Amino acid sequence: MCAAIAGQRGLRVLLIEHFPKVGEKIRISGGGRCNFTNVQTRPESFISENPQFARSALARYTPSDFVTLLRKHRIAFHEKHKGQLFCDDSAEQIIAMLRVECDAGNVQWRIPCAVQSVQRAGDHFSLQSDAGALSAQRVVIATGGMSIPKIGASNYGYRVARQFGLRIVEPRPALVPLVFDKAVWQQFSAMAGVSLEACVRAGAGRFDEDLLFTHRGLSGPAILQISSFWNPRQPIRIDLVPMLARAELSEHLISLKRSSRQTIANALITLLPHRLAEQWLAKLGIDTNARIAAVPDAVLRGAASSLKDWQLTPTGTEGYKKAELTLGGVDTRDLSSQTMESRQPGLYFIGEVVDVTGWLGGYNFQWAWASAHACAQALVQRHQTA
């Protein structure tokens, strides 16, 4: 994106990619249809040690700007859950579009091509690469984070940043499933595949999304979202019946004592997936075959409370191999929010490599487009005033 804009505005641009294929993260996103942006994008949807950093770039390149680009290339798309936009056909269309945009800017490519070193040499940068020695007045690092190493992700961008004295906010997996102690999770591991809508909280995060049980822990959009806010050794809190307040749930269960002859398991099945309802009663030591009319009010209130505030502490995450994103990155204190240029003149950082992490649902692609646009504009302006 950055290369295309800069090239179309008259700059000579070389784009270097170390992986044999370009745009792999685009290709696998959104189930192969690429959730390329979110119409609800706002600065508050991003996590950073400097929450205001992303504001400028996001304001100057919005989801509607990217949609305009898609329409120019006649790429059909649709809106899904909570403002998420997806291609009607394939993520390959986004990759093809960006390639065409690069071609329009006469962007040159080196792929696959690894860069062994980047050095400052007077008024330019000297690079040693698989394609030999290269020289450039300005270098843009758009290498992403460490998530999904099988498609080429690495810590390369952080290494370059540290080399030039830039600070790094410690990276860790984000938008990632959470795992639990084997002994603790044993009672729930058989429920792998069960999903339901839940409200999940941790730290400053709260999300009402689907939750999915796995053999090792929890996943699904609600958990992926909250993983960005969870800190090790802290519990997460889950409301398994978010459609009812605690008092409403208690009264609902107690009212069934007067009007129903069903078992307590059958009563809970109207609120929870069948397997979860039975497992939850077993967890509480309540006979699943007990008639709800015979269950004491205090026990029903206790069951309601446990469903509304399930607290459990993950032992960790599924790691970078399953993470959709990397939290942390190049410290924004060492970057310009207007231009993405670092304290090292001529060296820029954009996209996921920066300490700006969006929510699940297209926000991180929008940050990629917006930061690329801000950087490209700055490169052009620098060239024009040089």
Side-chain angles (χ1 to χ4, degrees):
M1 184 71 166
C2 183
I5 296 172
Q8 288 178 27
R9 297 186 184 179
L11 272 63
R12 294 178 59 205
V13 181
L14 174 65
L15 200 159
I16 303 172
E17 167 62 61
H18 80 121
F19 203 64
K21 295 181 180 179
V22 68
E24 280 297 277
K25 207 157 193 182
I26 294 174
R27 183 175 284 107
I28 67 173
S29 70
R33 291 193 173 181
C34 189
N35 178 194
F36 54 80
T37 191
N38 193 301
V39 297
Q40 297 177 10
T41 297
R42 62 192 191 282
E44 293 75 21
S45 304
F46 294 83
I47 304 164
S48 172
E49 288 203 353
N50 176 7
Q52 300 303 313
F53 181 83
R55 188 176 294 274
S56 174
L58 292 171
R60 287 182 284 145
Y61 194 86
T62 67
S64 63
D65 291 318
F66 194 74
V67 164
T68 297
L69 182 61
L70 260 67
R71 287 183 169 138
K72 169 187 167 185
H73 288 263
R74 298 182 179 180
I75 297 175
F77 61 91
H78 58 278
E79 181 176 340
K80 291 181 74 173
H81 185 59
K82 296 187 176 181
Q84 301 171 28
L85 299 187
F86 289 78
C87 296
D88 283 359
D89 186 11
S90 168
E92 297 283 355
Q93 295 175 291
I94 303 294
I95 299 171
M97 175 189 77
L98 293 172
R99 276 190 169 278
V100 169
E101 288 291 310
C102 282
D103 289 345
N106 296 313
V107 173
Q108 300 300 304
W109 294 77
R110 297 290 185 275
I111 178 173
C113 178
V115 176
Q116 287 79 39
S117 67
V118 180
Q119 303 290 335
R120 187 72 182 179
D123 62 350
H124 67 281
F125 290 92
S126 176
L127 286 69
Q128 292 299 320
S129 77
D130 290 350
L134 302 168
S135 177
Q137 288 183 310
R138 286 169 284 279
V139 172
V140 180
I141 304 294
T143 51
M146 295 186 286
S147 307
I148 321 180
K150 68 180 181 181
I151 60 171
S154 76
N155 65 354
Y156 181 84
Y158 311 138
R159 299 203 308 269
V160 173
R162 287 193 174 101
Q163 174 191 332
F164 286 95
L166 307 182
R167 290 167 286 190
I168 300 292
V169 175
E170 190 62 31
R172 63 184 177 92
L175 302 184
V176 61
L178 298 176
V179 297
F180 299 86
D181 178 83
K182 271 187 177 181
V184 172
W185 197 249
Q186 186 175 9
Q187 60 183 320
F188 295 107
S189 61
M191 292 201 313
V194 171
S195 66
L196 73 159
E197 185 176 345
C199 174
V200 184
R201 291 175 289 158
R206 172 182 170 147
F207 294 94
D208 293 275
E209 297 268 11
D210 285 349
L211 174 152
L212 173 69
F213 285 82
T214 71
H215 289 292
R216 287 164 42 85
L218 293 170
S219 187
I223 296 299
L224 299 185
Q225 295 276 38
I226 214 64
S227 69
S228 298
F229 294 85
W230 173 73
N231 290 312
R233 295 178 296 281
Q234 291 185 344
I236 61 172
R237 305 179 74 168
I238 303 174
D239 180 351
L240 293 168
V241 191
M243 70 289 295
L244 293 175
R246 186 183 307 225
E248 291 175 324
L249 178 56
S250 294
E251 291 309 310
H252 170 69
L253 294 176
I254 291 171
S255 70
L256 290 176
K257 292 182 64 172
R258 299 188 293 270
S259 60
S260 174
R261 295 174 56 83
Q262 65 188 159
T263 64
I264 186 170
N266 285 337
L268 283 186
I269 287 169
T270 63
L271 303 169
L272 301 169
H274 187 282
R275 286 160 62 192
L276 177 57
E278 292 190 339
Q279 184 58 50
W280 200 260
L281 291 172
K283 173 179 178 292
L284 297 176
I286 300 173
D287 182 2
T288 57
N289 295 315
R291 297 288 178 187
I292 194 168
V295 180
D297 289 3
V299 173
L300 294 177
R301 288 194 178 95
S305 294
S306 68
L307 288 167
K308 293 294 293 181
D309 190 16
W310 183 23
Q311 297 186 40
L312 63 169
T313 302
T315 55
T317 75
E318 289 284 6
Y320 287 117
K321 65 180 180 180
K322 294 288 185 70
E324 295 194 15
L325 213 72
T326 302
L327 198 69
V330 180
D331 197 318
T332 58
R333 291 176 298 176
D334 292 340
L335 303 176
S336 164
S337 62
Q338 296 290 317
T339 66
M340 303 294 134
E341 187 173 17
S342 71
R343 287 191 296 106
Q344 169 61 59
L347 181 64
Y348 301 73
F349 291 82
I350 58 176
E352 187 183 350
V353 74
V354 178
D355 176 34
V356 174
T357 305
W359 293 356
L360 180 72
Y363 296 99
N364 291 290
F365 273 125
Q366 186 58 37
W367 167 244
W369 317 137
S371 60
H373 174 264
C375 181
Q377 282 191 319
L379 294 171
V380 172
Q381 186 173 16
R382 174 71 67 84
H383 179 72
Q384 292 172 342
T385 57

